[in-house]
Amino acid sequence: MPARVSEALVLRTYPLKEADLVVSFFTRDQGKLRGVAKRARRPKSPFGAGLERLSHVRMAYFQRETRELVNLDSCELIHSQFELVSDYRAGVALDYLAEVSEQLLPSAEPSERFFRLLLAVLEHLKAAGGQGVWPAVTYFSLWAVRLSGWLPELNVCLGCGCLLDDVETPDQKAQRAFFSRGQAGLICGHCRRTTGGASSWELSAESRALAAEMLRTPVGRLSRTDWDQSTAADLRRFLVGQIESHVERKLVTAPLLEEK
Amino acid sequence: MPDFAEPLARLINEFKRLPGIGQKSAQRIAFHLLRAGREEAEHLSQAILDVKDKLGFCALCNNISDSELCQFCRDPNRDPKVVCVVEEPNGIVGIETTRQYEGRYHVLHGALSPLRGIGPESLKIKGLVERIGKGEIEEVIIATNPNVEGEATAVYLARLLKPLGVKVSRIGMGIPVGSDLEFADEVTISKAMEGRREM
């Protein structure tokens, strides 16, 4: 029965029995695991605030090969996100990050890049507070889709293969790009008309440029600083659509996040 | 699991579905009822049915009640100017054990939790705003749980209620009585320091 201590982010907890919790947590070295934290809901629990959503902790646990659930022993808090809940939107954003991670990450498969993505986004949220919600959520969604291997080319039409932004001739006006539910990429205006894509939405050239910048720049160093809810809303809708079609379920936090 | 007669196995299975009851406890309760007289079993089954048939929610505070208003809203000795907001009716039980609170209550029936799809419109907030609008309430004490969901709910309520001209306070958070500072984490200690009082 090996005892381990792993750096981890707590994704979600579910009540179990009278005072226990089932904890889903994402470790740096073992990937996403699930475990039982006994007596975690009691006031003098050894876990304290460490099992709150997206707490960055050092988790001590026992793992048995024949059992899916590990036994959580204790956790040492490295960083808490408790202060962020003073902003409602930031709190919903944290829930969104946790839900997407929970849905996308496979069990027991380490993903150093996803772990670093979560840490970077949390750090940005903490530094920028409520102001940082929209860049953080958009950046996270884009990279989460990319790390899962589902991000299509954002400058190529899925239908005819034409370039939506011709990088060779930057003076040329960018083509309009469209997406629809269940479609794995973007299509140009011509393909949209020929396929009768009435229930499709436009992904603006501005949002595509933002996405391209996000793929080469850390979240804290993005050139645009005046983000609000409407900034890259079409990009977020596209990315949430990609996530939902691959995990085959609706994200419950996405509509709450985009509520006016 | 041993092979029990079908009615007994069914009873054990039903007990096992209750919170905090595992296989052994379910067996113990089932065998106890088997040995008990018919009258005792009937009392138990009637009590369970009564809970389902005769209880509803208080029209004012949403607490569990067997009449239109619950015992706390009916009590003329309770201070109507102070209202304590709790997540669930069992939160009232915890506060009542102190015998120090003499105001009234408001039950939200949940806490904000986007992960579980619970937004502000899913909670019983409208009734609280209406009660405040009538001008009787002077102070609202928010006693939601000291976790992320409870804190988010408290912050949301404070922002909503303060402009209505009532005093909004939050129950203290920090080190549990009888524990040791050495074992408390940073969030617990920082909350305890925030809520310190002059002596």
Side-chain angles (χ1 to χ4, degrees):
Chain A
M1 192 165 67
R4 286 184 190 278
V5 177
S6 297
E7 188 184 346
L9 288 159
V10 174
L11 298 180
R12 196 169 180 176
T13 58
Y14 307 83
L16 176 75
K17 295 186 185 170
E18 206 155 287
D20 305 345
L21 285 174
V22 171
V23 184
S24 173
F25 59 109
F26 178 38
T27 65
R28 198 162 204 157
D29 56 345
Q30 301 289 312
K32 189 179 79 175
L33 299 174
R34 279 182 171 217
V36 175
K38 294 228 180 245
R39 296 175 295 282
R41 287 152 75 200
R42 294 206 187 275
K44 293 177 197 171
S45 134
F47 300 99
L51 297 184
E52 295 295 346
R53 160 266 277 134
L54 290 178
S55 291
H56 184 197
V57 296
R58 247 182 295 278
M59 190 77 83
Y61 56 100
F62 301 101
Q63 201 170 19
R64 289 182 190 170
E65 276 182 21
T66 52
R67 292 211 182 151
E68 193 194 337
L69 288 175
V70 303
N71 290 328
L72 303 187
D73 185 44
S74 63
C75 68
E76 182 196 332
L77 198 57
I78 301 171
H79 289 118
S80 164
Q81 319 305 333
F82 209 88
E83 293 308 317
L84 275 173
V85 297
S86 60
D87 183 288
Y88 175 66
R89 191 75 69 180
V92 180
L94 289 180
D95 276 1
Y96 172 80
L97 304 184
E99 187 188 14
V100 171
S101 307
E102 171 82 353
Q103 292 299 322
L104 295 188
L105 290 167
S107 293
E109 275 184 36
S111 172
E112 172 65 21
R113 294 181 82 190
F114 207 109
F115 197 89
R116 280 195 281 120
L117 168 66
L118 272 170
L119 287 186
V121 170
L122 289 172
E123 199 173 306
H124 178 72
L125 266 174
K126 216 171 207 179
Q131 300 293 316
V133 165
W134 299 114
V137 164
T138 314
Y139 186 90
F140 171 78
S141 305
L142 183 73
W143 272 97
V145 171
R146 183 171 185 180
L147 292 178
S148 301
W150 306 326
L151 187 69
E153 290 288 344
L154 295 178
N155 61 348
V156 177
C157 171
L158 189 70
C160 63
C162 75
L163 279 180
L164 299 168
D165 301 307
D166 196 343
V167 286
E168 299 299 318
T169 51
D171 293 340
Q172 193 180 314
K173 200 178 168 193
Q175 278 224 47
R176 294 175 75 188
F178 299 89
F179 64 96
S180 59
R181 191 160 289 282
Q183 196 174 54
L186 301 173
I187 52 171
C188 63
H190 174 73
C191 290
R192 183 192 181 221
R193 278 190 300 277
T194 52
T195 56
S199 59
S200 58
W201 301 272
E202 183 169 3
L203 183 60
S204 66
E206 190 191 5
S207 293
R208 281 181 279 146
L210 259 175
E213 188 191 358
M214 282 179 168
L215 291 175
R216 54 174 195 269
T217 314
V219 62
R221 279 194 269 152
L222 294 173
S223 56
R224 183 166 182 164
T225 52
D226 57 336
W227 283 73
D228 61 24
Q229 190 171 355
S230 62
T231 312
D234 51 352
L235 176 61
R236 285 194 300 278
R237 186 175 191 167
F238 169 67
L239 295 166
V240 166
Q242 291 295 311
I243 294 168
E244 288 181 340
S245 68
H246 281 92
V247 301
E248 294 180 339
R249 56 163 285 179
K250 291 262 180 200
L251 296 174
V252 290
T253 51
L256 288 167
L257 186 67
E258 298 290 348
E259 252 176 17
K260 297 280 179 195
Chain B
M1 188 175 130
D3 237 359
F4 294 115
E6 195 273 334
L8 186 60
R10 196 150 53 90
L11 185 61
I12 292 170
N13 276 335
E14 290 301 321
F15 282 131
K16 266 168 62 182
R17 290 167 60 182
L18 301 176
I21 296 188
Q23 175 69 27
K24 294 270 190 231
S25 303
Q27 276 175 223
R28 258 197 305 276
I29 299 167
F31 277 105
H32 170 80
L33 286 174
L34 193 63
R35 281 192 295 269
R38 183 178 176 83
E39 199 181 340
E40 195 175 331
E42 276 174 356
H43 282 162
L44 177 67
S45 62
Q46 194 55 49
I48 293 170
L49 289 175
D50 283 353
V51 161
K52 298 308 288 179
D53 296 341
K54 294 182 182 170
L55 288 185
F57 295 118
C58 172
L60 202 59
C61 74
N62 307 309
N63 185 20
I64 293 166
S65 173
D66 56 356
S67 58
E68 195 192 353
L69 295 180
C70 72
Q71 64 196 95
F72 304 110
C73 291
R74 281 198 310 260
D75 188 346
N77 297 321
R78 291 255 167 189
D79 185 357
K81 290 178 187 159
V82 186
V83 166
C84 180
V85 179
V86 292
E87 286 180 20
E88 299 290 348
N90 53 16
I92 294 179
V93 180
I95 292 169
E96 283 300 303
T97 53
T98 63
R99 295 193 192 89
Q100 286 184 0
Y101 177 68
E102 289 174 347
R104 290 189 175 161
Y105 292 97
H106 189 88
V107 185
L108 296 173
H109 287 280
L112 291 178
S113 176
L115 257 178
R116 294 179 173 92
I118 303 171
E121 68 291 337
S122 310
L123 305 179
K124 307 276 186 191
I125 295 175
K126 199 177 154 200
L128 178 63
V129 174
E130 282 171 4
R131 287 174 76 181
I132 293 168
K134 287 175 187 162
E136 206 180 33
I137 297 170
E138 289 176 3
E139 181 178 1
V140 175
I141 303 167
I142 304 176
T144 49
N145 288 334
N147 53 26
V148 167
E149 285 93 352
E151 190 64 7
T153 311
V155 171
Y156 181 86
L157 282 179
R159 294 223 172 126
L160 184 74
L161 303 182
K162 270 188 178 171
L164 304 178
V166 287
K167 180 182 171 189
V168 181
S169 56
R170 174 88 169 108
I171 55 164
M173 279 190 266
I175 317 291
V177 175
S179 69
D180 202 316
L181 273 179
E182 189 188 349
F183 299 110
D185 59 68
E186 63 177 58
V187 177
T188 310
I189 293 183
S190 74
K191 287 287 168 193
M193 292 298 276
E194 259 176 50
R196 72 188 185 277
R197 62 187 169 86
E198 200 177 324
M199 295 182 76

